[in-house]
Amino acid sequence: MTGLTHVDESGRARMVDVSGKAVAARTATARGHLTCKPETLDQVRSGTAPKGPVIHTAELAAIMAAKRTAELIPLCHPLPLTKVEVRIEIDDRLPGFAVVAEARTNAVTGVEMEALTAISVACLTMFDMLKAIDRTMSIGGIEVVSKSGGKSGDWQRG
């Protein structure tokens, strides 16, 4: 089991000790999408979706979820988030919704999981709010787009 950071010598899961790492400004951006019928987009655009303002509700849910990532992912460190921004836009080419989330912190570990959690919960919230009118929806493309800060430096998806 050597070389695995989240497993101890006996094979048990463990949280990595990050107490020796330096605090650094860290940022992560993630994206994803929810596809749906064009008629579903029309209802969201017109404000007639049965459960209310879909995009605003999903953006708020995403921010709330990012702040609770450590409660959802067992070995994830709780982080003091300094910013979480979520943008959901209607994309007729999908058709569906394009979702982008950015998370920031000044901490000893990165915020990729917080950005990914925000994307996931935004998509799940929209799915929940629209499932009564569209059973064809699909969630996908959830990925980290970029990260900055920390020992491993900056990274951007090509």
Side-chain angles (χ1 to χ4, degrees):
M1 295 287 177
T2 61
L4 300 176
T5 59
H6 287 75
V7 178
D8 70 12
E9 303 77 32
S10 64
R12 297 179 65 126
R14 68 179 176 110
M15 181 184 261
V16 173
D17 182 0
V18 294
S19 60
K21 293 175 73 177
V23 170
R26 298 165 187 266
T27 303
T29 302
R31 68 180 168 208
H33 62 264
L34 180 135
T35 59
C36 62
K37 294 178 181 176
E39 301 82 46
T40 304
L41 293 180
D42 292 342
Q43 284 198 30
V44 173
R45 262 193 203 98
S46 67
T48 59
K51 289 190 177 182
V54 175
I55 291 174
H56 292 117
T57 302
E59 287 174 343
L60 181 57
I63 292 167
M64 293 171 66
K67 294 173 10 178
R68 301 188 76 161
T69 300
E71 295 176 34
L72 301 169
I73 310 298
L75 302 176
C76 194
H77 292 86
L79 296 177
L81 296 175
T82 58
K83 177 183 180 181
V84 177
E85 182 177 341
V86 180
R87 293 176 309 282
I88 300 173
E89 295 181 3
I90 292 175
D91 185 340
D92 290 304
R93 294 169 297 167
L94 286 170
F97 303 88
V99 186
V100 176
E102 178 185 292
R104 291 179 181 249
T105 189
N106 293 311
V108 297
T109 191
V111 288
E112 296 90 354
M113 294 309 299
E114 286 72 11
L116 289 165
T117 298
I119 296 295
S120 301
V121 170
C123 290
L124 290 169
T125 299
M126 289 187 291
F127 193 102
D128 179 56
M129 294 184 77
L130 296 169
K131 68 185 178 205
I133 60 171
D134 188 348
R135 300 267 181 206
T136 70
M137 293 180 293
S138 176
I139 295 170
I142 298 173
E143 61 187 2
V144 174
V145 176
S146 64
K147 60 103 33 209
S148 66
K151 184 179 174 183
S152 63
D154 298 351
W155 176 85
Q156 188 145 6
R157 186 169 295 282

